Amino acid sequence: MSAFRLVVVISGRGSNLDSLIRYQRQGGYQIAAVISNRPQAAGLEIARQAGLDTAVLDHQSFENREQFDRELAALIDRRQPDLVVLAGFMRILGAEFVSRFEGRLINIHPSLLPQFPGIKTHERALQAGVQWHGASVHFVNAEVDGGPVIGQVRMRLRPDDDAASVADRLLPLEHRLLPRVVALMAEGRVSYAENKTCLDGAPCAEPLVLNVDADCWEPGRGDP
Ligand code: GRF
C-alpha cells in the first residue's frame, strides 16, 4: 500500500512541522511537501534540512485572498495529498478553498475548542479563570477554528501561570498531539462525514483525548 501523503502548510517557526517529521515512520505517513506563505518562515529550513520538497507562496504578492487560495490549492493538488495539515498557518482560508479540501484539511489550535477560537488563546484562558486549557486538532470548515474536533490534549493551569509559561508547557503537548492524530487518520480510523468527526465509522460525540503519560487515546469526558 502506498504511504498516506501529507502536505503541511506553515507560516512560521515550524515546531509542529518538526514533530510531524520526527514521527513520520512511526505514524505511517509521509510528508510530500511543505508550503509556507512566508518566505522567511523558520519552518522552511527545518523542512529543507529534512530533505523535504518545499514551496513558498507569498500572500503579499497576490491581489486578493481568492487568488492566493486558488494558487495554494493548485500547489497542494500537484502533490496529490491524502491530507492537508495546517501547522501554524496564520491566514484565514476562504470558503471555496475549504470546501475543496473538506474532510482532508486539519488544523492545530492552542485551546480546548470550542473554547477560545481565534488568537491570544492563553491570555484569554487565564483571564477567564478556567482550570483546564490545552490544544485541539480539528477538521477545518468555513467557520474559523469551528470545525469538528478530532483530538485534544489537556493541561491544568497553575495559579502563577502567565501566557508565556502556558505556551512553554503546552507546546510540547501539541507536538505529541498532532502526529498522533495524523497517524490515526493514516490508519483510516478517523474520517469526516456531514461536518462530524467519525472514529471507526461512527460519529464521535466527544473529541478523543490524548493521555500523554500513557501515550494512548481516551474518549472525551466532557469537562475534565
Ligand atoms: C502552535 O501553537 C499552533 O497551535 C498554532 O500556531 C503555533 C504554531 O507553532 N496554530 P509552530 O510554527 O508549529 O512552532
Side-chain angles (χ1 to χ4, degrees), residues 98-193:
V98 169
S99 75
R100 179 171 178 157
F101 292 101
E102 190 180 1
R104 296 191 292 141
L105 180 63
I106 65 171
N107 178 49
I108 179 156
H109 180 79
S111 81
L112 294 177
L113 290 170
Q115 286 186 315
F116 314 120
I119 59 171
K120 297 207 179 292
T121 55
H122 306 331
E123 284 88 340
R124 286 156 59 210
L126 290 166
Q127 245 165 33
V130 293
Q131 280 190 18
W132 289 88
H133 187 46
S136 307
V137 176
H138 64 96
F139 285 109
V140 176
N141 67 10
E143 214 181 305
V144 176
D145 302 322
V149 175
I150 306 167
Q152 293 184 322
V153 66
R154 293 172 176 177
M155 179 181 103
R156 193 187 276 277
L157 293 181
R158 298 174 182 159
D160 59 345
D161 263 329
D162 57 20
S165 67
V166 172
D168 281 353
R169 284 210 315 289
L170 186 58
L171 195 60
L173 301 182
E174 290 188 33
H175 298 162
R176 302 280 299 276
L177 176 68
L178 181 58
R180 283 162 180 80
V181 169
V182 172
L184 270 184
M185 298 184 78
E187 269 185 81
R189 296 196 58 202
V190 166
S191 57
Y192 173 93

Side-chain angles (χ1 to χ4, degrees), residues 6-10 17 20 31-36 83-87:
L6 311 186
V7 167
V8 184
V9 188
I10 63 167
L17 165 67
L20 283 170
I31 301 174
V34 175
I35 303 174
S36 172
L83 182 68
V84 180
V85 182
L86 306 179

Side-chain angles (χ1 to χ4, degrees), residues 186-206:
E187 269 185 81
R189 296 196 58 202
V190 166
S191 57
Y192 173 93
E194 293 168 8
N195 207 33
K196 287 202 172 71
T197 299
C198 299
L199 179 68
D200 301 328
C204 296
E206 303 260 18

